[in-house]
Amino acid sequence: MRSSLKEVERLRTHNAQLLAAANEPIAIIGMACRFPGDVRSPEDLWQLVAEGRDAVTPFPDDRGWPDDLYDPDPRASGKSNTAEGGFVRDVTDFDAAFFGISPREALAMDPQQRLILEIAWESFERAGIDPTSLRGSQTGVFVGGNGQDYPLVLMTQSPGDVEGFLVTGNAASVVSGRISYQLGLVGPAISVDTACSSSLVALHLAVQSLRSGETSLALAGGVTVMSSPSGFVEFSRNGGLAADGRCKAFAGAADGTGWGEGAGVVVLERLSDAQRLGHQVLAVVRGSAINQDGASNGLSAPNGPSQQRVIRSALDSAGLSTSDVDVVEAHGTGTTLGDPIEADALLATYGQDRTSPLWLGALKSNIGHTQAAAGIAGVIKMVMALRNGVMPRTLHVDEPTPHVDWSAGAVSLLTEAREWTVDRPRRAGVSSFGVSGTNAHVILEQAPEPDSREPGSGGQEALGLPGTGVPWVVSGRSPAALRAQVRRIVELAQELDPVDVGFSLVTTRAALEHRAVLLDGAEVANGRVSPGRLGVVFTGQGSQREGMGKQLGAAFPVFRQAYDDVLAHLTLPELAVDETGFAQPAIFAVEVALFRL
């Protein structure tokens, strides 16, 4: 009887653990991106939206597109009725040698693979994780994408000696698989194509994988690069493009979508793991849901009831009510069909049972519709908004669309930026709807306050070593890359704590073969690491002095512990610094402690 009671208690405890894991918030610990407007980081994206900038530009001239592509008549065959969109600058650039990829294989790789691979590496380093340390780990990769139009460009503009690489260079599966291959990750690698909801669906799958214990760390995001103008031509013929290339989300002036491109990823970890490992938590995913329109009034037409259901499912997943969410980053493509349906769904859900309005915004008004990357772009924008305490404004709204009864609920457009002040954690929803009918909704929450018991570095003064420089170790794959990194570090770190910079460089960055050491911003060593074992030479007698190592012992616990460990085996008079029998072991103790430090 006693043993059966113990078994019941064990099962009850186990079930409670499973339930807690299934609902545990998921921490976002790193982000990286490339978007129109010269956006090369989440900070750049925030600067763009905070300043209310429009990143739509004329067609790029580095992709071989026809000079006569534009025609204002949307019925013109093979033409685009707009000459503008949101484009990533220098999207053809790729550091193939960094990843050990040959020039021929790099040429055959879809730019979408190149772009997502580069920002995947960046995102791990920005999360404080050396990417090379993940080899063999149960890290998952979930990447959204839609459309591979690169082979058409490659076969018409480039030599024909890359055919052998085209199977992997253009395969949708390899968009995720190549990241896992290059970094040696053995968790699931899944490429997702649900059209415009792809990256948000990928994020949902990553969250589910972490909560189930399938993965310990996950990368989630999406990428779209328009190698050819086919998207402009097709949507122009269907009457879906705005003539000026701009998304006027939920506006009376809305006249179609505007195409954009880009890539974004986030690094995800269970919140308890992130806190245990000391990773910075940028925000948390409280809940997420996906569903399908099913049999609606058309395959590509949005379905309002399904959008309502996915919102309610995400709220249930988060354990929240509609009034617990302050703002929604909408799908908001600027079409006269889709936007009213989305607004009605928001009014019917978030717009009910609340004392203050739900605020509504759309990043597409700044950078265009980045397609498979649109959902993750919205996530990165809202994480930055959560951190900065501001809800940025939506551009190009002359007036709220008259095709919506805005009095049906408490929902208001963010036609102006607003301070984000609430008496609880800030929360935001992010929506994405695919043309195939797959919908996704994610609920983000402000990061919990960090543990106040965690010690800070305190700068050089806290070390007790006034005037002593802190070494910065910088590395690169080549001498040129190393020089570029040194320049960037010197430029970026002028106002930062030198101890923090030094610590981060040696603990959160990959140690590549070409290395330099900077002291007080000046380079003092430079070279290439050779394979082999490490030898350490200790100094001989004559270097000793009274009080040697005292300041180091006071500043660095590692030094103090190593020094004490050696002295525990010895008995040394304090004033015998010049007697060989005492000086030599004392010097040895200091040298061991220096080596450990």
Side-chain angles (χ1 to χ4, degrees):
M1 182 67 175
R2 190 173 299 166
S3 61
S4 63
L5 288 174
K6 286 183 178 179
E7 179 63 12
V8 169
E9 185 59 32
R10 186 191 70 80
L11 290 173
R12 185 179 289 120
T13 302
H14 182 61
N15 287 339
Q17 291 172 341
L18 290 175
L19 183 62
N23 295 286
E24 180 176 7
I26 300 299
I28 298 175
I29 62 171
M31 306 189 296
C33 63
R34 298 282 190 279
F35 287 112
D38 287 339
V39 168
R40 303 186 66 80
S41 68
E43 291 77 16
D44 286 348
L45 183 64
W46 177 248
Q47 195 71 22
L48 182 139
V49 297
E51 293 174 358
R53 282 192 279 126
D54 181 342
V56 174
T57 61
F59 288 159
D61 57 8
D62 61 351
R63 306 188 192 188
W65 291 10
D67 293 334
D68 61 348
L69 179 61
Y70 170 69
D71 190 309
D73 181 2
R75 295 166 297 181
S77 177
K79 305 293 183 179
S80 167
N81 72 309
T82 183
E84 297 191 84
F87 299 97
V88 175
R89 181 172 60 86
D90 300 329
V91 77
T92 56
D93 292 351
F94 178 59
D95 191 352
F98 181 89
F99 295 102
I101 295 172
S102 72
R104 287 178 64 241
E105 183 173 5
L107 179 63
M109 287 171 60
D110 190 321
Q112 296 177 131
Q113 288 188 27
R114 305 178 207 157
L115 193 58
I116 199 77
L117 183 56
E118 288 188 335
I119 67 169
W121 180 282
E122 277 185 29
S123 68
F124 285 124
E125 288 197 329
R126 289 177 64 93
I129 299 171
D130 173 0
T132 63
S133 70
L134 296 174
R135 186 167 296 275
S137 69
Q138 203 66 26
T139 300
V141 178
F142 303 82
V143 178
N146 65 294
Q148 292 80 41
D149 58 356
Y150 183 59
L152 300 174
V153 177
L154 180 67
M155 299 310 294
T156 57
Q157 299 182 6
S158 304
D161 62 348
V162 295
E163 286 89 343
F165 294 113
L166 281 177
V167 172
T168 56
N170 186 53
S173 61
V174 180
V175 174
S176 61
R178 190 180 290 275
I179 296 172
S180 295
Y181 169 75
Q182 293 291 156
L183 299 182
L185 314 177
V186 298
I190 299 175
S191 296
V192 178
D193 184 357
T194 58
C196 306
S197 59
S198 295
S199 58
L200 215 57
V201 171
L203 176 62
H204 170 78
L205 295 177
V207 167
Q208 298 292 81
S209 182
L210 284 164
R211 284 177 169 165
S212 71
E214 181 181 52
T215 54
S216 55
L217 191 71
L219 185 84
V223 59
T224 291
V225 173
M226 296 179 287
S227 295
S228 79
S230 59
F232 285 93
V233 173
E234 291 168 9
F235 266 72
S236 180
R237 185 174 65 245
N238 293 333
L241 280 185
D244 61 0
R246 286 159 176 82
C247 296
K248 306 167 190 69
F250 306 106
D255 59 349
T257 198
W259 283 146
E261 64 184 9
V265 293
V266 295
V267 181
L268 303 171
E269 193 170 42
R270 288 180 289 271
L271 179 59
S272 57
D273 288 342
Q275 291 171 328
R276 175 176 55 84
L277 296 169
H279 292 149
Q280 183 182 28
V281 179
L282 304 175
V284 296
V285 178
R286 275 293 300 267
S288 64
I290 59 175
N291 72 1
Q292 233 285 339
D293 285 346
S296 59
N297 64 341
L299 172 62
S300 61
N303 184 289
S306 289
Q307 292 181 15
Q308 293 181 39
R309 284 193 293 271
V310 80
I311 289 169
R312 292 194 175 101
S313 294
L315 286 167
D316 288 344
S317 167
L320 298 170
S321 65
T322 55
S323 61
D324 293 323
V325 176
D326 311 305
V327 59
V328 164
E329 169 64 24
H331 191 57
T333 58
T335 61
T336 54
L337 174 65
D339 282 7
I341 292 174
E342 181 176 10
D344 285 339
L346 292 167
L347 286 161
T349 52
Y350 284 117
Q352 307 303 309
D353 303 319
R354 58 190 309 130
T355 56
S356 58
L358 174 88
W359 294 100
L360 186 59
L363 177 61
K364 292 179 181 68
S365 69
N366 300 90
I367 64 174
H369 186 351
T370 54
Q371 304 166 71
I376 202 68
V379 167
I380 294 173
K381 169 192 168 182
M382 293 318 300
V383 169
M384 297 302 294
L386 286 165
R387 293 175 62 76
N388 285 279
V390 176
M391 293 180 276
R393 72 185 181 99
T394 298
L395 307 185
H396 314 309
V397 179
D398 56 340
E399 63 175 353
T401 174
H403 302 296
V404 170
D405 179 7
W406 294 99
S407 66
V411 175
S412 297
L413 293 180
L414 281 165
T415 54
E416 297 294 337
R418 296 185 62 87
E419 292 295 320
W420 195 345
T421 54
V422 287
D423 57 1
R424 51 160 172 74
R426 303 180 189 112
R427 298 191 187 98
V430 182
S431 287
S432 277
F433 311 126
V435 71
S436 64
T438 298
N439 308 308
H441 192 75
V442 169
I443 297 174
L444 305 172
E445 184 176 275
Q446 182 181 0
E449 289 296 322
D451 190 339
S452 60
R453 294 171 298 176
E454 292 180 6
S457 70
Q460 280 183 265
E461 294 76 11
L463 297 176
L465 299 171
T468 303
V470 177
W472 293 351
V473 182
V474 187
S475 70
R477 287 283 190 212
S478 66
L482 177 61
R483 288 193 298 272
Q485 282 285 70
V486 168
R487 284 196 302 271
R488 289 185 66 198
I489 291 295
V490 171
E491 290 170 5
L492 293 173
Q494 295 298 323
E495 305 300 322
L496 301 178
D497 187 306
V499 178
D500 288 344
V501 175
F503 177 82
S504 297
L505 285 171
V506 296
T507 60
T508 68
R509 292 297 187 97
L512 307 176
E513 53 268 37
H514 291 273
R515 300 181 194 174
V517 178
L518 281 66
L519 201 59
D520 294 327
E523 189 173 302
V524 296
N526 185 319
R528 178 171 183 167
V529 176
S530 299
R533 300 176 66 186
L534 174 68
V536 179
V537 180
F538 287 177
T539 186
Q541 189 170 347
S543 63
Q544 75 276 12
R545 66 180 186 278
E546 190 173 339
M548 189 174 181
K550 186 176 181 180
Q551 285 180 300
L552 288 170
F556 299 107
V558 170
F559 183 96
R560 179 82 244 176
Q561 184 62 51
Y563 186 76
D564 289 346
D565 287 347
V566 176
L567 292 188
H569 298 280
L570 305 170
T571 303
L572 300 176
E574 288 188 9
L575 301 178
V577 293
D578 294 323
E579 295 183 24
T580 299
F582 300 119
Q584 295 254 355
I587 292 168
F588 177 76
V590 171
E591 295 288 351
V592 168
L594 282 170
F595 173 73
R596 295 296 180 206
L597 174 60

